[in-house]
Amino acid sequence: MAKKILVVDDSAAIRQSVTFVLQQEGFETIEAADGAEGLEKIKGSAVDMVVSDVNMPNMDGITMVSKIRELADFRFIPIIILTTESQSSKMEEGKAAGATGWIVKPFTSEKLLAVVKKLLG
Amino acid sequence: MVDQFKEAFREEAFELLIELEDALLRLEEEPDDPETISSVFRIMHTIKGSAAMFGFDDISLFTHEVENIMDLLRAGKLSVTKELIDMTLTSRDYIRIMLEDSSKKLNEEVNTLLAAFKAEVRKQNSDLSEVKSHDVSEVPYRSDDKHADESDPYISDELITYRIIFCPENNIFLSGTNPLLLLAELRELGEISIIAVKEEIPSLTAINPEFNYTSWEIILSTTTPEEEIRDVFIFVESSAEVRITAISDSHDESGKKIGEILVDRGIVKSEDINKILTSQKKVGEVLIENNLVTKPQLDSALEEQQQINTLMERKKTITTSGSVRVDSVKLDELVDLVGEMVTVQAHLSELASHKQDASIISISEQLERLTAELRDNSMSMRMLPIGTTFSKFKRLVRDLSADLGKGIALVTVGGETELDKTVIEKLNDPLVHLIRNSIDHGIESPEERIAAGKPAGGTITLSARHSGASVIITVADDGAGLDTVRIRRKAIDKGLILPDEDLPESELFKLIFAAGFSTSSTITKVSGRGVGMDVVRKEIETLGGMVSISSEAGKGTAIELKLPLTLAIIEGLLVQIDDEFYVFPLSVVEECVEHIQGEHENGKQNIASVRGEILPFIRLRDFFDIKGDQPEIEQLIVVNTHDHRIGFIVDEVIGDYQTVIKTLGSIYKDVEGLSGGTILGDGSIALILDVLKITQIVQKEEKLLT
């Protein structure tokens, strides 16, 4: 069965292109425009992985990650955060909140798929 | 990233800029509202990130600078002034201009603005001197080469063995990490042995099922550089202990052991040394006895030793067995000799079957089996994977596509497919022709592609696969496809078809193989004036192959080459005329039907009707001027060459015949219509027909209607 990935980003362009690349590889995707929507959509759906932006209105990515980790169903799923900061501070912050890995923007579709496959097997 | 979303990004950025304007105007009224400040920051941040993703580097770099200023605002290190809002509004306008026309470079304006920003920061900082200078990025505004660090990492081919200790924290699962996936990733890097250290696992009552208690000791022999091994663990650096050390493999050359030296000096006898050595306890055992190491620790170390030993052994075998370079002429001679032997063996088999002598039959059968093996074996020596040729084209595509300003990627599939060496060599030129054609005429310019909703960069796929006794090589592009209207016009101009002739698409496509045909009206540096597809076709046909083409408007073009696995063996159809034997290459034969003289013939014009279809034919008896009477019922062999069906009349069809081709020798090199010869089991000779050539000769003499 196709693995389901939740893609959270306030930029529709990034969301669409990430979704496009993932779907090309046979993944199923769900989209959300910000952390609050992401958190809402993940509940009750069998999501296998989350790919999320950090800076978003309503609820930022880091907060969303820590809230997702509070949900019993999603304590162990891999979560990737997309960050523009190449400094380690944001990544460490993300890791502390429960993110599994990160991708620094700008990234190529190959990089995205490499990390997704690395964490999803 | 994905170019078709560029437009989506621009639309979104325009919306964000409107939002930004609103927020800035609000900020002017309520300069201290943190919510508004952070939304201004967020918008800048989003534009910066997305712009970089979709290749708007100028916008991204500029926005990055402005974002840094907004960050100072957000952190309270800068206060909102009218000047600052004015400047931010101006930068918003600049971003808009750059978005509207990506060719606009506002370098000067942008630099002036950034300088003004910095001046404002300095002015405010003269009061708050503790702000460090590096808060405002010192990076000069320029389009830097972001690909510089993406160059291929240096790959050494030296096999190095590493010891990797991987100790994840107890709660590693809670960050969504699956350590087994990391181990699987390592496994792909080379020869590996993984030992799980399970001593930390508590008793079942004390265990927390959500915790990880296992750590791993890994011995990895790989050519991958150490940084790449480290990259596997990139996400767990903070939540696991990872130690990677290269294990030196030179310790076995550390000179002589003390016992050996003493024996050499004649002080002790080697038997005595051996006796003492065997009575000695092994180091590991002694260490365990003294509680210096635990049993699992020892086992893990032994595992490492084992791995190194296997590795050393493999290195030795590689250096001793390896491969031998042989002059290809010698290989050709070998294949030739095997061919002779197959013939002699066939002769022997036939004799044996006549003799009814059990012992001879048994020997002949044994020889038959051996020769078959020998033949396959020597043929396989001439087989090479086609991948080496494929990789040569990578450079060609890269250079040509750069020349033409088309970002074209070459994808190769099935490089491991094996083909006869001579076929591979002769395949080079036609493939270069076809790839150049795809780059030059097939794939559109980036602008046209984007307008058609395709990614700006095109893709050429070069693939090879086996199909029965043939190899099929495909050159496919995702370009515009063949332009049927232009092909039609050109064909009419050249007098290839009549102006009112209505041809199906597939027939039109075939026209590009006609001599001197080209649809490109401009001469380009890459392919000159129209690459002669007729030349490609001819070259493939000399190899005993066939070319076919398929194309879909807007989707691309694919050209398929079907080639025989080898040139040394031919699958043929053996036929007989009077006492002479001939072989048709089976690949061109469509069908065989009976032919009764006069019944289907139309006067002297040599036209037969096969199931209602009109078919011109050649009577080989006449062509080769063979005397004697033709039988009442002849055989008509329907052959397809150059997409024309032609019949050949022979006396009798004997059947399938796989044979080793022998060249006819220099005396016969001017004989037309024959491509070689072969010796049959009974020792008689069969000639291999060059069907295409015969057709052309007859056509020239105007004896044949096509």
Side-chain angles (χ1 to χ4, degrees):
Chain A
M1 209 183 74
K3 299 248 180 176
K4 203 185 274 182
I5 302 179
L6 171 67
V7 179
V8 192
D9 200 310
D10 55 331
S11 155
I14 293 198
R15 211 165 58 228
Q16 281 167 14
S17 49
V18 166
T19 314
F20 174 79
V21 169
L22 293 174
Q23 283 174 353
Q24 290 283 57
E25 280 301 298
F27 293 108
E28 216 180 291
T29 54
I30 309 178
E31 292 180 39
D34 57 50
E37 195 189 341
L39 194 61
E40 203 46 55
K41 285 206 169 161
I42 199 170
K43 286 176 188 165
S45 64
V47 167
D48 297 292
M49 178 181 233
V50 178
V51 176
S52 173
D53 188 24
V54 175
N55 268 287
M56 290 181 291
N58 295 330
M59 185 191 288
D60 69 80
I62 307 272
T63 314
M64 183 192 75
V65 171
S66 56
K67 291 214 184 286
I68 287 178
R69 287 290 183 226
E70 286 168 17
L71 303 171
D73 286 345
F74 304 104
R75 297 178 63 202
F76 304 114
I77 65 162
I79 301 179
I80 301 175
I81 53 173
L82 308 175
T83 157
T84 45
E85 323 295 330
S86 42
Q87 303 98 313
S88 57
S89 64
K90 259 285 172 314
M91 301 161 192
E92 286 311 317
E93 210 182 304
K95 280 235 57 161
T100 317
W102 56 84
I103 305 176
V104 179
K105 287 190 219 173
F107 53 86
T108 60
S109 35
E110 289 80 23
K111 172 77 183 170
L112 171 69
L113 289 174
V115 175
V116 166
K117 285 179 182 162
K118 178 187 174 80
L119 297 183
L120 211 47
Chain B
M1 190 154 127
V2 182
D3 288 318
Q4 66 234 61
F5 297 104
K6 257 190 172 160
E7 201 41 51
F9 158 71
R10 289 182 58 213
E11 276 167 30
E12 186 177 275
F14 284 132
E15 276 167 33
L16 282 171
L17 288 176
I18 294 171
E19 231 179 277
L20 179 66
E21 193 166 41
D22 282 352
L24 285 170
L25 296 176
R26 243 182 301 139
L27 196 62
E28 197 160 29
E29 283 160 23
E30 293 174 70
D32 299 321
D33 184 23
E35 200 108 310
T36 317
I37 293 179
S38 77
S39 79
V40 167
F41 172 79
R42 189 180 50 72
I43 292 168
M44 286 292 181
H45 186 85
T46 303
I47 293 177
K48 177 190 88 173
S50 310
M53 291 286 298
F54 297 103
F56 295 85
D57 293 353
D58 288 347
I59 296 179
S60 171
L61 283 166
F62 171 54
T63 319
H64 176 71
E65 300 289 323
V66 183
E67 184 202 343
N68 279 340
I69 310 282
M70 299 302 117
D71 199 25
L72 293 180
L73 268 184
R74 194 171 64 154
K77 289 175 182 168
L78 211 60
S79 50
V80 179
T81 60
K82 183 171 179 309
E83 288 77 23
L84 207 59
I85 291 201
D86 277 348
M87 284 187 276
T88 318
L89 278 172
T90 316
S91 47
R92 172 215 168 264
D93 296 340
Y94 286 169
I95 297 173
R96 200 186 157 84
I97 294 169
M98 288 192 262
L99 265 178
E100 271 166 354
D101 184 357
S102 55
S103 66
K104 277 232 172 74
K105 300 260 182 266
L106 297 171
N107 285 349
E108 221 163 278
E109 291 89 334
V110 158
N111 280 332
T112 323
L113 183 65
L114 289 178
F117 265 125
K118 279 170 192 167
E120 175 70 21
V121 173
R122 268 196 299 277
K123 200 180 99 196
Q124 291 201 22
N125 277 2
S126 53
D127 316 319
L128 288 131
S129 55
E130 80 272 22
V131 176
K132 285 183 210 136
S133 63
H134 75 247
D135 279 342
V136 181
S137 171
E138 295 285 298
V139 180
Y141 175 75
R142 63 185 174 86
S143 297
D144 57 345
D145 185 6
K146 63 175 174 165
H147 296 293
D149 56 347
E150 283 171 21
S151 61
D152 280 347
Y154 166 73
I155 296 166
S156 85
D157 46 9
E158 201 191 339
L159 207 54
I160 298 175
T161 304
Y162 294 94
R163 184 197 298 115
I164 304 165
I165 312 274
F166 173 39
C167 281
E169 278 176 6
N170 280 350
N171 58 6
I172 185 141
F173 298 144
L174 293 169
S175 67
T177 306
N178 180 351
L180 295 181
L181 289 178
L182 299 179
L183 297 177
E185 218 176 309
L186 283 179
R187 214 180 278 276
E188 279 169 18
L189 298 179
E191 187 72 23
I192 200 167
S193 77
I194 301 174
I195 305 140
V197 182
K198 290 169 275 195
E199 284 155 87
E200 303 279 315
I201 302 180
S203 65
L204 204 51
T205 47
I207 211 164
N208 176 348
E210 292 184 349
F211 270 20
N212 168 58
Y213 299 99
T214 316
S215 62
W216 286 270
E217 287 189 36
I218 301 136
I219 306 293
L220 172 68
S221 305
T222 177
T223 52
T224 315
E226 194 181 324
E227 311 89 79
E228 273 177 54
I229 302 174
R230 220 165 265 287
D231 269 357
V232 171
F233 297 101
I234 180 159
F235 297 142
V236 295
E237 269 168 359
S238 60
S239 51
E241 184 192 344
V242 179
R243 269 180 291 149
I244 303 175
T245 32
I247 310 170
S248 152
D249 56 4
S250 58
H251 55 71
D252 63 323
E253 290 154 12
S254 52
K256 286 184 177 174
K257 292 184 175 134
I258 188 71
E260 287 170 358
I261 297 173
L262 287 170
V263 171
D264 284 351
R265 291 181 173 198
I267 301 169
V268 286
K269 280 189 234 154
S270 62
E271 297 97 84
D272 295 336
I273 295 276
N274 284 341
K275 211 188 281 167
I276 289 168
L277 282 177
T278 43
S279 68
Q280 231 176 24
K281 278 186 179 164
K282 293 206 166 135
V283 175
E285 289 168 24
V286 179
L287 286 170
I288 289 178
E289 271 171 29
N290 292 321
N291 286 331
L292 288 169
V293 293
T294 63
K295 182 84 171 65
Q297 282 169 336
L298 177 67
D299 286 346
S300 149
L302 285 172
E303 186 84 19
E304 175 175 326
Q305 193 184 31
Q306 183 86 34
Q307 170 99 4
I308 291 170
N309 288 347
T310 355
L311 187 72
M312 300 300 289
E313 224 135 85
R314 184 152 332 131
K315 266 189 180 169
K316 265 184 217 152
T317 33
I318 286 170
T319 44
T320 50
S321 75
S323 56
V324 184
R325 280 171 169 275
V326 178
D327 190 346
S328 62
V329 177
K330 283 190 182 169
L331 265 185
D332 292 346
E333 272 170 24
L334 177 71
V335 172
D336 228 36
L337 286 171
V338 170
E340 303 255 359
M341 192 152 149
V342 170
T343 317
V344 174
Q345 175 269 319
H347 201 166
L348 178 69
S349 298
E350 202 168 296
L351 271 181
S353 66
H354 287 309
K355 284 264 178 336
Q356 304 285 338
D357 183 333
S359 59
I360 292 189
I361 289 175
S362 132
I363 291 176
S364 130
E365 278 172 359
Q366 220 169 333
L367 185 68
E368 188 175 341
R369 191 170 44 77
L370 282 175
T371 10
E373 260 176 55
L374 185 62
R375 190 193 61 199
D376 291 349
N377 221 312
S378 49
M379 290 301 164
S380 76
M381 281 184 208
R382 297 180 10 144
M383 301 296 229
L384 286 177
I386 196 163
T388 44
T389 311
F390 277 8
S391 55
K392 274 195 284 186
F393 297 127
K394 285 232 155 103
R395 182 63 196 274
L396 176 82
V397 171
R398 191 191 148 276
D399 290 357
L400 288 185
S401 77
D403 277 356
L404 295 169
K406 302 175 179 181
I408 299 173
L410 179 72
V411 178
T412 58
V413 181
E416 72 287 348
T417 311
E418 287 193 327
L419 251 177
D420 192 301
K421 191 175 142 296
T422 40
V423 180
I424 290 185
E425 280 162 6
K426 290 183 182 155
L427 211 52
N428 190 56
D429 290 353
L431 282 179
V432 169
H433 267 310
L434 292 176
I435 291 173
R436 277 168 177 254
N437 247 1
S438 284
I439 296 174
D440 203 15
H441 308 303
I443 290 180
E444 321 89 316
S445 67
E447 297 79 40
E448 286 172 79
R449 291 182 64 88
I450 290 168
K454 295 201 236 181
T459 310
I460 295 179
T461 312
L462 190 56
S463 60
R465 64 188 164 86
H466 282 291
S467 163
S470 315
V471 168
I472 292 176
I473 295 175
T474 317
V475 180
D477 63 55
D478 62 349
L482 292 175
D483 186 342
T484 45
V485 179
R486 272 168 74 189
I487 294 176
R488 233 193 116 74
R489 210 165 47 218
K490 197 94 177 181
I492 294 168
D493 283 355
K494 298 233 168 207
L496 292 168
I497 55 170
L498 296 170
D500 55 349
E501 211 172 328
D502 191 23
L503 284 175
E505 231 177 35
S506 57
E507 292 296 318
L508 271 176
F509 293 162
K510 281 176 190 164
L511 289 174
I512 67 165
F513 291 113
F517 194 93
S518 154
T519 56
S520 180
S521 35
T522 49
I523 305 176
T524 71
K525 162 170 147 195
V526 176
S527 56
R529 178 190 286 283
V531 171
M533 287 296 278
D534 54 325
V535 177
V536 171
R537 178 188 186 142
K538 205 184 275 167
E539 283 178 51
I540 298 302
E541 274 169 0
T542 16
L543 290 173
M546 284 191 291
V547 187
S548 61
I549 190 163
S550 61
S551 176
E552 199 179 330
K555 291 265 176 68
T557 309
I559 293 178
E560 198 177 272
L561 313 177
K562 189 175 180 189
L563 294 154
L565 269 179
T566 167
L567 291 182
I569 289 186
I570 183 175
E571 282 284 348
L573 183 72
L574 186 64
V575 301
Q576 192 175 6
I577 303 166
D578 214 60
D579 291 335
E580 309 282 336
F581 294 97
Y582 297 93
V583 176
F584 283 90
L586 203 56
S587 56
V588 298
V589 174
E590 274 192 356
E591 60 176 330
C592 304
V593 289
E594 279 188 354
H595 179 81
I596 299 167
Q597 200 190 350
E599 192 172 300
H600 307 290
E601 264 179 74
N602 174 10
K604 292 215 158 122
Q605 286 227 286
N606 280 358
I607 287 177
S609 121
V610 176
R611 281 193 286 277
E613 239 185 89
I614 287 177
L615 185 77
F617 67 79
I618 297 166
R619 180 169 271 119
L620 282 179
R621 180 182 280 274
D622 297 342
F623 183 81
F624 288 115
D625 208 6
I626 300 165
K627 305 278 182 292
D629 294 327
Q630 57 199 53
E632 202 165 301
I633 300 171
E634 293 170 295
Q635 303 293 326
L636 179 70
I637 296 166
V638 183
V639 161
N640 191 337
T641 63
H642 267 194
D643 305 313
H644 289 301
R645 295 171 83 226
I646 290 165
F648 284 86
I649 291 184
V650 300
D651 286 2
E652 210 175 318
V653 172
I654 295 170
D656 264 16
Y657 190 73
Q658 198 195 50
T659 175
V660 178
I661 301 175
K662 308 282 295 173
T663 48
L664 286 175
S666 50
I667 303 177
Y668 301 102
K669 72 174 192 303
D670 293 329
V671 176
E672 287 182 315
L674 298 175
S675 60
T678 184
I679 300 165
L680 301 179
D682 63 357
S684 57
I685 289 171
L687 295 169
I688 299 163
L689 299 170
D690 184 343
V691 176
L692 187 62
K693 197 78 206 171
I694 296 178
T695 316
Q696 284 168 350
I697 295 168
V698 177
Q699 256 170 350
K700 243 184 229 160
E701 293 170 3
E702 286 177 297
K703 280 185 185 162
L704 189 71
L705 287 175
T706 52

